[in-house]
Amino acid sequence: MPVDQHLLLAFLVTTAIAMVTPGPDMLFILGCGMRGGPKAGLLATAGVATSEAIHVAVAAAGLAALFAAVPVAFTVVRVAGAGYLVYLGVQAIRNRKPLVERNSDRAYLSGLLTNLLNPKMVTFTIAFLPQFIDPAKGHVWLQFAVLGAIMIVFEFLVDGTVGVLAGRVGGWVRRKKNQRRIEVATGGIFIGLGVKLAVDR
């Protein structure tokens, strides 16, 4: 086992608690599921999971140190991510195309970009994962890979379930002729997440 068993147990407990606590990723996936159905919820989860894999690789390579060395880089990426979320929110409110037709094919890319453009995820990963790495066991890259894979599994188990359930609830609401309310509510969620990302330090 490349990861210390005691550290692995602590990581599992900590990650489980972190995943079930509602956060930006969960809210984003919830919104995608409500608008585009279960398929969109799963695709958004896959996009977020892909970005998490990239974040783990970045953390393992130590590239997040760029944000510490060049603070303006953090700000630029943060503002870009916030702007993208606000754009998605405005599009959700303004568009008139059918919900499922418009969103299921874009959910993966939106989930990927939204999480990639959140520099706090990079800094969180580089601060969080090393707490459970034991350099004395060697193969640090492999330890990062194992912990990252576990994070991605939790992502699908928790947020993937949220996305599918939100899609089913959204389908029921659509049958009740409340499509416009879903659009406005989801757009509001995206805009709120964008504003939060922009103002958080």
Side-chain angles (χ1 to χ4, degrees):
M1 188 67 178
V3 182
D4 180 271
Q5 293 186 9
H6 294 93
L7 290 176
L8 179 60
L9 178 60
F11 176 78
L12 290 172
V13 173
T14 306
T15 303
I17 294 173
M19 286 292 181
V20 299
T21 302
D25 287 347
M26 184 180 290
L27 290 176
F28 177 80
I29 291 168
L30 174 70
C32 286
M34 286 291 291
R35 294 178 66 205
K39 179 182 177 182
L42 278 179
L43 286 173
T45 303
V48 170
T50 301
S51 70
E52 286 182 353
I54 295 173
H55 286 150
V56 171
V58 168
L63 296 182
L66 171 66
F67 290 145
V70 187
V72 69
F74 182 95
T75 302
V76 169
V77 175
R78 176 170 56 81
V79 171
Y84 181 66
L85 278 170
V86 171
Y87 166 78
L88 290 178
V90 172
Q91 289 295 101
I93 293 172
R94 293 182 59 186
N95 263 313
R96 294 291 190 269
K97 294 180 182 178
L99 288 166
V100 175
E101 173 188 320
R102 183 172 73 250
N103 293 289
S104 62
D105 58 343
R106 297 182 183 178
Y108 175 82
L109 182 60
S110 294
L112 175 67
L113 291 178
T114 299
N115 213 38
L116 278 181
L117 291 174
N118 183 357
K120 285 196 169 183
M121 285 304 302
V122 182
T123 53
F124 168 79
T125 303
I126 203 170
F128 178 67
L129 289 185
Q131 307 303 317
F132 306 94
I133 299 291
D134 182 4
K137 293 184 70 69
H139 305 291
V140 172
W141 258 99
L142 182 57
Q143 293 186 60
F144 267 105
V146 170
L147 297 181
I150 292 173
M151 285 181 63
I152 291 172
V153 169
F154 270 107
E155 182 70 48
F156 276 102
L157 288 176
V158 178
D159 287 347
T161 299
V162 169
V164 170
L165 292 178
R168 296 190 183 282
V169 171
W172 178 81
V173 174
R174 284 192 293 276
R175 288 194 294 273
K176 297 297 182 180
K177 309 298 183 183
N178 288 315
Q179 292 147 314
R180 191 59 192 152
R181 293 180 181 178
I182 294 178
E183 293 285 0
V184 174
T186 306
I189 289 175
F190 289 168
I191 292 173
L193 288 174
V195 172
K196 183 179 186 301
L197 182 59
V199 300
D200 277 356
R201 301 298 181 196

